[in-house]
Amino acid sequence: MGLPENFLWGGASAANQCEGGIFEGGRGLANVDVCPSGADRHAVITGHKKMYQMDKEHHYPAAEAVDFYHRFQEDIKLFGEMGFKVYRMSIAWTRIFPHGDEEEPNEEGLLFYEKVFEECRKYQIQPLVTISHFDCPMYLIEKYGGWRDRRMIDCYLRLCKVLFTRYRDYVTYWLTFNEINMILHAPFMGAGLCFEEGEEEEQVKYQAAHHELIASALATKLAHKINPENQVGCMFAAGSVYPYSCKPQDVWEAMLVEQENYFFVDVQARGYYPSYAVKRLQKKGVYPKMQEGDIETLRAYPVDFISFSYYNSRCIASEEQKTAEGNLFQSAKNPYLSFSEWGWPIDPLGLRITLNQVYDRYQKPLFIVENGLGALDKPDSDGYVADDYRIDYLREHIRAMKAAVEEDGVELIGYTSWAPIDLISAGTGEMKKRYGFVYVDKQEDGSGSLVRKRKKSFYWYQKVIESNGERV
Ligand code: BG6
């Protein structure tokens, strides 16, 4: 009994949400830089408001974020102190290729991540690298319209080749795209897509998704070729979809939503478009254009493992019901659950259900690469945050995860909570929505000393890791 001895405990972040320094080190502008906080954010990230440059009227939280770019040594030291075995992080594409299609990479950007990996090594922390976490060079968006254009595949593979080669001695766990299914819900943030008036959005999204799926398969091929030790995973926003009632129509609608969500992983893990997707996309007239060899490529290079984020389950009703928020998805309000301050359902058993469903479906090793509670933290006069609510959330989810492994036989590589340190929210761009074990003195208006302080959950998580999940 118990979790495997080599279980990978840690935390997860994304470059655009923690690094800042967007004009430093020769870095180019990316889609995530021009997503403002405030009322316009939703329209921008969903591709319905074109914002290709920063203006003076908006606040752009990624510009400084929490300054990991200058403070990574201090931050990684704190991760080491918590006993992390793994740190999930992402690469800012435009640090390596500022435009995205240069012949040669930017050495300064490569050196930055090398230093980050060196720092991880000091504390025996293994990096788990997301190649693209909501990250696309603005130059490629202006030139090609983002992932709608097939030429993006070559640009992405150029990045992959550089990363796999240069960091061969540092990294063996890779994720090709963060939450690949988010392309359907936040297409500008997920894939650099901005829609023109009258455009068939579904068609553009599925075409772009196809390009990402091919890119992901070819990246897997390349990763294995460059280093046979490399383990490549897909990553999707998970969360079981419950029918609102046992009414068959509710069950049916829930199944449709679940299939839409699993579509990407079905392709990445099994290597082919599932028949439900072929039929439905064809019927809607949005089946993507494929090139000769695409079907074979998808077949030949499935992922080695499946990773996902889990924040909540969803609930689907065939008739209108009260709605609940969620990770960029809305759903019917589940009357049996409580909710976070941002209205996200809290459902630890849902994590166990999700783990079982995903494992049953694919029979490949799983990795939980995001799970956490976004909350308003109120430091006391010494700056200490007693975040028992976060501990409660994580404790229950970790218990559910353990049960899935110990009692249900799910094969799980590791768990990285979102996020080990406070950072910018992807959905809202807010700073006040905090997830960390480490508090960062940065406020919603951008003020603050950026000083880091350990929260109560920091010491709690340290014990969890030390006991390999026995003392939660
Ligand atoms: C996932 C993303 O969608 O959820 C993260 O991969 C994100 O980038 C996390 O931060 C939590 O969502 P939010 O909107 O609270 O930041």
Side-chain angles (χ1 to χ4, degrees):
M1 282 302 255
L3 291 169
E5 244 175 65
N6 56 355
F7 191 75
L8 294 176
W9 290 99
S13 70
N16 74 86
Q17 293 173 258
C18 69
E19 274 180 19
I22 63 168
F23 300 112
E24 292 178 63
R27 183 184 179 286
L29 201 67
N31 59 338
V32 279
D33 302 334
V34 296
C35 295
S37 54
D40 284 333
R41 187 176 181 86
H42 191 257
V44 173
I45 67 176
T46 53
H48 295 118
K49 184 178 170 70
K50 207 177 225 168
M51 188 172 281
Y52 282 5
Q53 270 150 17
M54 295 161 119
D55 61 30
K56 292 220 160 49
E57 288 79 63
H58 292 87
H59 171 62
Y60 298 92
E64 182 186 57
V66 293
D67 199 30
F68 179 83
Y69 187 65
H70 297 110
R71 293 163 197 258
F72 65 92
Q73 283 151 321
E74 183 186 350
D75 294 346
I76 294 170
K77 186 164 186 245
L78 288 163
F79 305 160
E81 198 181 315
M82 275 187 277
F84 280 20
K85 315 281 181 225
V86 65
Y87 171 41
R88 176 181 173 228
M89 50 169 279
S90 77
I91 300 280
W93 188 339
T94 55
R95 281 202 194 286
I96 313 296
F97 287 102
H99 279 172
D101 66 352
E102 293 88 341
E103 286 300 322
E104 294 301 323
N106 169 32
E107 181 57 27
E108 221 180 321
L110 286 169
L111 270 177
F112 169 67
Y113 292 110
E114 200 162 293
K115 283 191 254 156
V116 169
F117 297 144
E118 274 297 337
E119 211 55 32
C120 288
R121 186 167 276 178
K122 262 195 203 165
Y123 306 98
Q124 285 100 48
I125 298 173
Q126 176 159 187
L128 160 63
V129 172
T130 316
I131 298 165
S132 172
H133 190 127
F134 299 152
D135 205 313
C136 187
M138 274 315 297
Y139 180 84
L140 296 182
I141 293 177
E142 304 226 36
K143 193 166 170 187
Y144 298 138
W147 278 93
R148 71 177 66 214
D149 193 301
R150 194 168 172 111
R151 283 170 291 186
M152 286 296 291
I153 299 176
D154 284 342
C155 299
Y156 176 84
L157 290 174
R158 191 176 304 188
L159 170 71
C160 291
K161 188 170 179 202
V162 168
L163 300 181
F164 298 153
T165 313
R166 176 73 175 243
Y167 302 132
R168 194 180 189 279
D169 295 336
Y170 292 102
V171 186
T172 47
Y173 279 109
W174 302 93
L175 303 178
T176 50
F177 292 94
N178 180 62
E179 296 191 336
I180 190 165
N181 50 328
M182 226 24 123
I183 201 172
L184 302 178
H185 308 277
F188 181 70
M189 194 162 76
L193 304 177
C194 207
F195 302 106
E196 303 300 334
E197 195 71 42
E199 200 169 33
E200 175 47 77
E201 293 189 12
E202 286 280 282
Q203 186 162 26
V204 176
K205 288 196 266 191
Y206 278 101
Q207 189 62 53
H210 181 67
H211 296 150
E212 288 197 352
L213 291 167
I214 295 290
S216 176
L218 291 173
T220 307
K221 174 187 181 189
L222 192 63
H224 291 156
K225 187 169 160 224
I226 293 176
N227 181 4
E229 303 276 291
N230 273 334
Q231 292 286 308
V232 183
C234 56
M235 191 312 190
F236 79 115
S240 295
V241 182
Y242 305 150
Y244 190 73
S245 76
C246 54
K247 188 162 77 179
Q249 198 59 27
D250 283 357
V251 178
W252 173 250
E253 296 288 337
M255 191 199 77
L256 292 180
V257 171
E258 189 131 83
Q259 283 180 329
E260 181 187 88
N261 218 31
Y262 278 132
F263 158 68
F264 300 86
V265 194
D266 281 353
V267 179
Q268 289 176 296
R270 295 166 167 169
Y272 55 93
Y273 272 51
S275 47
Y276 66 80
V278 175
K279 290 287 179 204
R280 290 193 200 124
L281 297 182
Q282 278 173 345
K283 190 166 174 217
K284 282 198 213 165
V286 299
Y287 189 73
K289 279 197 213 87
M290 298 205 186
Q291 276 189 7
E292 216 185 303
D294 279 2
I295 287 179
E296 292 74 14
T297 297
L298 295 175
R299 274 255 182 225
Y301 309 108
V303 288
D304 301 309
F305 67 96
I306 293 158
S307 78
F308 61 83
S309 60
Y310 177 87
Y311 292 91
N312 51 261
S313 55
R314 285 191 276 165
C315 194
I316 298 297
S318 52
E319 283 159 23
E320 208 167 314
Q321 299 291 345
K322 279 196 192 124
T323 56
E325 295 305 319
N327 189 5
L328 287 167
F329 313 101
Q330 274 197 344
S331 64
K333 192 163 184 170
N334 186 329
Y336 301 101
L337 299 177
S338 60
F339 296 83
S340 78
E341 284 160 309
W342 268 261
W344 294 20
I346 298 179
D347 182 10
L349 182 56
L351 175 58
R352 184 171 177 181
I353 296 169
T354 301
L355 280 161
N356 273 276
Q357 286 176 335
V358 179
Y359 191 60
D360 277 353
R361 196 171 177 111
Y362 303 112
Q363 301 284 304
K364 291 204 183 215
L366 307 185
F367 206 143
I368 300 171
V369 295
E370 285 185 35
N371 172 236
L373 179 73
L376 284 168
D377 286 340
K378 294 193 188 69
D380 67 13
S381 52
D382 296 325
Y384 179 69
V385 177
D387 52 346
D388 292 282
Y389 39 89
R390 181 167 295 110
I391 296 174
D392 290 344
Y393 176 98
L394 293 170
R395 177 188 291 121
E396 292 313 314
H397 284 77
I398 289 174
R399 282 188 177 146
M401 166 186 91
K402 281 183 88 234
V405 174
E406 293 169 8
E407 295 170 40
D408 311 332
V410 170
E411 195 183 345
L412 189 63
I413 305 170
Y415 172 91
T416 59
S417 76
W418 185 269
I421 185 162
D422 293 345
L423 39 64
I424 303 295
S425 155
T428 64
E430 289 166 311
M431 185 62 224
K432 63 175 190 254
K433 188 179 189 190
R434 296 172 185 272
Y435 284 89
F437 301 119
V438 174
Y439 184 83
V440 177
D441 176 26
K442 173 150 183 182
Q443 309 311 318
E444 204 50 34
D445 60 1
S447 66
S449 63
L450 292 166
V451 162
R452 280 62 172 144
K453 288 243 161 124
R454 296 165 188 78
K455 301 182 197 175
K456 188 172 181 181
S457 55
F458 180 99
Y459 303 101
W460 170 81
Y461 197 48
Q462 195 175 42
K463 288 214 176 68
V464 173
I465 299 180
E466 205 184 347
S467 64
N468 199 21
E470 290 306 303
R471 274 189 290 145
V472 286

